[in-house]
Amino acid sequence: MTPGGSGLAVRRRVRVRGGWSRPRGGSRKFSTASRPWASWSTPWLYLAPALVVLGGLLLYPIYQLGLISVFRYTQAQVSGGEPTAFVGFGNYSDVFSDGEFWSVLLATVLFAAACVVSTLVVGCALAVLLTRVRALPRLVLMLAALGAWATPAVTGSTVWLFLFDPDFGPVNRLLGLGDHSWTYGRYSAFFLVLLEVVWCSFPFVMVTVYAGIRAVPSEVLEAAALDGASQWRIWRSVLAPMLRPILTVVTIQSVIWDFKVFTQIYVMTGGGGIAGQNLVLNVYAYQQAFASSQYGLGAAIGVVTLLVLLAVTLVHLRLLHRQGEEL
């Protein structure tokens, strides 16, 4: 054995239990096996900045909303004339005991469901159409859809009111309806708002589904066509199952957006229609909070709306998880 040979052997030895090795370069390299926390902490470190921003923009307002909902908070408390009083679930008890709340909730659910279904049908149909037309018509349709998507809700609602105006609107003249008022009747007013909501919402569905269709291998669609499948059969049996994760995302987004519609209803029906016949939850909460100065009551309605949306989203995701879908 040469002098110093044992020392060289010691320097070159590999320490297995400690989880590190000393290569010929001399630097220690730690393995992830010795640091199990690194495998799950690394993604959260990357997400930390976004989570901090979302926490400030979302969690704190939700906390304030829930806090106000358990206090008697009216104009007297805002002006400092009276101290705030803790009422616990008193505001929620008042909300649930109000018959108008339940009728507004039912109208909101039905209206949101109609908007979601209509938006998905129109968006998916136009997405399929984009794959069938040439480049120039596709570009024109995309620009028109993106223009509708970028239009502010107040502007779009005002334009649709003009189009269906009983005196100067072109729609009544084309249909020969004379001075028919679309916003007078409850169902016609809801239908008019539905058209505007679908008009400003379908571009998101169209663009998202179109991107998903383009990602599907063309060989799959060609094989289905060679087997004699119709376009509807291809969509129902081939495209829809492959696009289910994308359809899930756009469905949940549409449910959230359409359930909390405010601007279109408020602008097009004048704050909820005649005698509140076109009220939805957001407009109803606005009236309770600001028109009646019952801010605690309005906050309680807002919390109920949030819980309903969370329940719908979780139930939908749970059903997909049972079917083995990965999101």
Side-chain angles (χ1 to χ4, degrees), residues 160-161 164 182-183 187-197 268:
W160 277 83
L161 275 180
F164 288 85
W182 291 81
T183 58
Y187 298 106
S188 61
F190 269 129
F191 178 72
L192 181 59
V193 177
L194 181 144
L195 293 179
E196 201 280 334
V197 171
M268 300 181 71

Side-chain angles (χ1 to χ4, degrees), residues 48-303:
L51 292 177
V52 171
V53 174
L54 290 177
L57 295 178
L58 295 178
L59 295 182
Y60 182 73
I62 292 175
Y63 163 75
Q64 287 292 334
L65 185 69
L67 184 63
I68 295 175
S69 68
V70 296
F71 282 90
R72 180 180 293 109
Y73 199 68
T74 63
Q75 188 62 38
Q77 283 76 29
V78 173
S79 61
E82 295 180 7
T84 57
F86 179 77
V87 295
F89 293 97
N91 289 323
Y92 295 94
S93 177
D94 293 340
V95 169
F96 294 141
S97 61
D98 186 5
E100 185 180 11
F101 166 77
W102 294 105
S103 63
V104 171
L105 177 61
L106 177 61
T108 304
V109 171
L110 296 178
F111 176 74
C115 289
V116 170
V117 173
S118 302
T119 302
L120 291 177
V121 170
V122 174
C124 292
L126 291 178
V128 175
L129 178 63
L130 287 177
T131 63
R132 299 288 186 267
V133 298
R134 296 182 180 274
L136 183 58
R138 184 187 308 123
L139 178 62
V140 173
L141 181 57
M142 290 284 285
L143 291 177
L146 293 177
W149 195 10
T151 302
V154 175
T155 304
S157 301
T158 304
V159 171
W160 277 83
L161 275 180
F162 170 75
L163 293 176
F164 288 85
D165 186 82
D167 298 321
F168 306 103
V171 174
N172 282 2
R173 295 183 181 181
L174 291 176
L175 298 179
L177 297 178
D179 57 352
H180 173 72
S181 176
W182 291 81
T183 58
Y184 183 79
R186 182 185 187 188
Y187 298 106
S188 61
F190 269 129
F191 178 72
L192 181 59
V193 177
L194 181 144
L195 293 179
E196 201 280 334
V197 171
V198 173
W199 174 77
C200 67
S201 302
F202 84 86
F204 170 74
V205 178
M206 183 190 73
V207 173
T208 307
V209 175
Y210 173 71
I213 294 176
R214 299 298 295 178
V216 175
S218 58
E219 295 81 3
V220 176
L221 302 179
E222 292 175 358
L226 290 175
D227 290 339
S230 62
Q231 295 298 325
W232 167 247
R233 182 70 176 181
I234 292 175
W235 167 260
R236 185 168 62 89
S237 302
V238 179
L239 287 177
M242 299 181 71
L243 298 176
R244 188 169 297 173
I246 294 178
L247 294 176
T248 299
V249 173
V250 298
T251 300
I252 293 175
Q253 291 282 2
S254 298
V255 168
I256 294 174
W257 290 339
D258 296 339
F259 196 86
K260 59 186 185 68
V261 165
F262 174 84
T263 305
Q264 291 88 343
I265 289 286
Y266 193 83
V267 172
M268 300 181 71
T269 64
I274 300 175
Q277 64 181 1
N278 297 114
L279 283 176
V280 292
L281 276 182
N282 267 3
V283 180
Y284 179 65
Y286 175 84
Q287 287 187 352
Q288 295 296 324
F290 297 99
S292 302
S293 298
Q294 298 288 336
Y295 301 107
L297 201 62
I301 299 173
V303 172

